[in-house]
Amino acid sequence: MRYVLAMLLCLAAPLGAEPLRVLAIGDSILAWHKWTGRDIPSAMGAVLGAQVENDAVAGARFSNASGLGRAAGFDVRAQFRPGPWDLLLINGGANDFLADCSCRACDEVLDGLIAPDLSGEVATY
């Protein structure tokens, strides 16, 4: 699957053009190993020959009610910053489930992020 994505992105970029500029935001899924350069966004960048900036933070939630949490990067939405990005790689929701549903109210937590009618925090972001 990753090779299909890489091939599609390579075909979308004209030959000889500037490398793709990618901003990655999210939670630990994208932040794991970023200090070693072995994180998912870095691996994707290496395959695509892209310039990748990874602003993902382990422990981030899709939205964080704490102003301090948002300022420290623990709100995925607040990790976005304007720039010359060609691509935005985003994930989130794992910590929302961990903190909020405890395997008892997962449908409510999921619907709060993105419901079948496309309402919710992710859909309106």
Side-chain angles (χ1 to χ4, degrees):
M1 182 63 172
R2 68 178 177 197
Y3 296 109
V4 172
L5 175 62
M7 186 170 50
L8 289 174
L9 289 171
C10 287
L11 291 173
L15 293 175
E18 295 281 326
L20 285 172
R21 293 161 300 200
V22 180
L23 175 64
I25 60 175
D27 60 20
S28 56
I29 301 297
L30 297 182
W32 281 329
H33 305 295
K34 80 176 181 178
W35 307 119
T36 66
R38 296 177 55 219
D39 54 290
I40 292 169
S42 293
M44 182 190 82
V47 168
L48 296 176
Q51 296 173 346
V52 178
E53 293 189 37
N54 185 353
D55 288 349
V57 175
R61 297 175 63 152
F62 191 77
S63 61
N64 191 319
S66 163
L68 182 58
R70 282 190 303 276
F74 290 102
D75 183 314
V76 173
R77 298 171 308 164
Q79 293 171 6
F80 178 79
R81 57 190 162 82
W85 317 118
D86 298 308
L87 207 63
L88 175 65
L89 177 61
I90 183 172
N91 89 302
N95 296 304
D96 299 271
F97 279 101
L98 179 65
D100 293 340
C101 82
S102 302
C103 293
R104 290 186 300 273
C106 292
D107 288 345
E108 292 173 31
V109 174
L110 180 57
D111 285 349
L113 290 168
I114 186 164
D117 66 357
L118 299 181
S119 63
E121 292 182 72
V122 173
T124 58
Y125 175 67

